[in-house]
Amino acid sequence: MTLTLPTPVLPDPDAVPALRWGVIGTGIAGKFVTAIHRHTPQRAVAVTARDAAKTSAFAAAHGIDRTVSSVEALVTDAEVDVVYVATPHPLHREQALAAIAAGKHVLIEKPIAMSAAEAQEVTGAGRAAGVLVMEAMWTRYLPQSDIMRRLLTDGTIGTVRLVTADFGFVMPYDPGHRLWAPELGGGALLDAGVYPISFAASVLGSPDRVLVEGASGPGGVDVRADLLLSYAGGARSMLSTSLETALPVRASVVGTEGRIDIGSPFFGPSSITAVRGNFAASESATWTDQRLEVLHDGLAYQATALASFAAEGRIESPVHTHDDVVGVMRVIDTARATITAAS
């Protein structure tokens, strides 16, 4: 039988409610707002951030009608349906809880918080309030991820035995940059490592054992981490992140009858290849995401997904559950603590 890939099935951007988004922060939020305005009916209608001048410039650049003076004003705005938290990591918990308390759905940039305990608090508050709480792990909502889930469900590559993924880049030391500031959640794990750890979780769930080798750099932030995760069924993950080296940024899922390879950068729209057989005799099929010319326009997929989940009355993403989000943070907690203790 010839190996073929399933067609990705995603919600139609025009078939879900056009929500009104309130935006907190003006960093990665620029890419997100650009993506939703280009590719969906979703609209950012209000924005707030610390610097009033930058906030006004951001609103003008992205066609946002209103700037508001505070987080409280934004989350209580009757014209806002959902809040997008796009500030530095240590602010996520407080701002997400404010949005939840105001009865708003909330999309929180990754990592959702600074620890598993904070993640548990945020997701628990969302469940208690009956609002949708999602971490902005956009990878989960890409077409290639839907294809991967279908291949795994169909048993195309057999029983999964190994997952590999990495994300690292060279970040020269700069004491003024957030990546080198512990108080801002600096280090490789929270910023880049969350991607390969979340990818492994999307395939294998939470591990039973976490082994870590790493190194700290200036200010005590983790500059490198290599993780070996073991699972109850005998599968393992090998994951790497770094601020010192430019890693390939690829991911693979290896099974007893084949493998799935995700092209670089695996966390954004790229490609997926399924291979059945071994190196001596194999067949393969590849699907490439050619819809978008700009990598971060793929952020639009998660906005459409959120709108579809909200319309269904969901309080968590079915492909990125609250337990999944908290489990990833537990792995990061363990890795950071291990590296800190060894430094």
Side-chain angles (χ1 to χ4, degrees), residues 22 72 100-102 116 162 193 206 212 214 225 227 277 310-311 337:
E72 181 64 20
I100 292 166
L162 177 67
S206 294
V212 183
L227 289 71

Side-chain angles (χ1 to χ4, degrees), residues 34-217:
T34 295
I36 66 172
H37 286 181
R38 280 179 179 167
H39 301 288
T40 81
Q42 307 296 314
R43 285 295 177 266
V45 298
V47 59
T48 190
R50 289 184 304 172
D51 187 309
K54 288 183 178 179
T55 305
S56 295
F58 181 93
H62 295 283
I64 299 174
D65 292 337
R66 292 181 292 116
T67 63
V68 295
S69 60
S70 68
V71 169
E72 181 64 20
L74 184 131
V75 302
T76 57
D77 191 323
E79 299 299 313
V80 168
D81 301 312
V82 55
V83 173
Y84 173 48
V85 176
T87 48
H89 315 331
L91 300 177
H92 291 180
R93 170 191 168 274
E94 178 183 357
Q95 293 170 347
L97 289 175
I100 292 166
K104 297 295 197 292
H105 303 306
V106 61
L107 178 68
I108 308 154
E109 263 306 328
K110 73 211 78 62
I112 191 172
M114 288 291 291
S115 67
E118 288 189 0
Q120 189 79 61
E121 182 182 8
V122 170
T123 56
R127 285 194 298 274
V131 298
L132 176 61
V133 173
M134 278 176 47
E135 181 182 55
M137 181 51 70
W138 58 312
T139 311
R140 300 292 182 103
Y141 306 100
L142 301 174
Q144 67 210 34
S145 298
D146 184 72
I147 293 172
M148 183 180 76
R149 286 189 291 268
R150 292 172 183 275
L151 290 171
L152 294 173
T153 298
D154 292 344
T156 301
I157 64 168
T159 302
V160 175
R161 307 306 295 166
L162 177 67
V163 172
T164 63
D166 63 80
F167 183 20
F169 46 86
V170 178
M171 182 67 186
Y173 177 61
D174 175 0
H177 195 283
R178 65 175 182 83
L179 283 176
W180 296 99
E183 69 278 8
L184 295 180
L189 278 159
L190 286 171
D191 209 76
V194 65
Y195 280 106
I197 295 170
S198 185
F199 180 84
S202 74
V203 179
L204 293 170
S206 294
D208 292 333
R209 188 181 183 197
V210 179
L211 298 178
V212 183
E213 291 286 344
S216 295

Side-chain angles (χ1 to χ4, degrees), residues 307-323:
S308 72
F309 300 153
E312 294 166 358
R314 296 182 182 272
I315 59 172
E316 63 184 330
S317 164
V319 298
H320 193 198
T321 66
H322 291 168
D323 284 347

Side-chain angles (χ1 to χ4, degrees), residues 19-31:
L19 301 179
R20 299 167 298 179
W21 292 71
V23 178
I24 306 175
T26 57
I28 185 65
K31 292 182 172 63

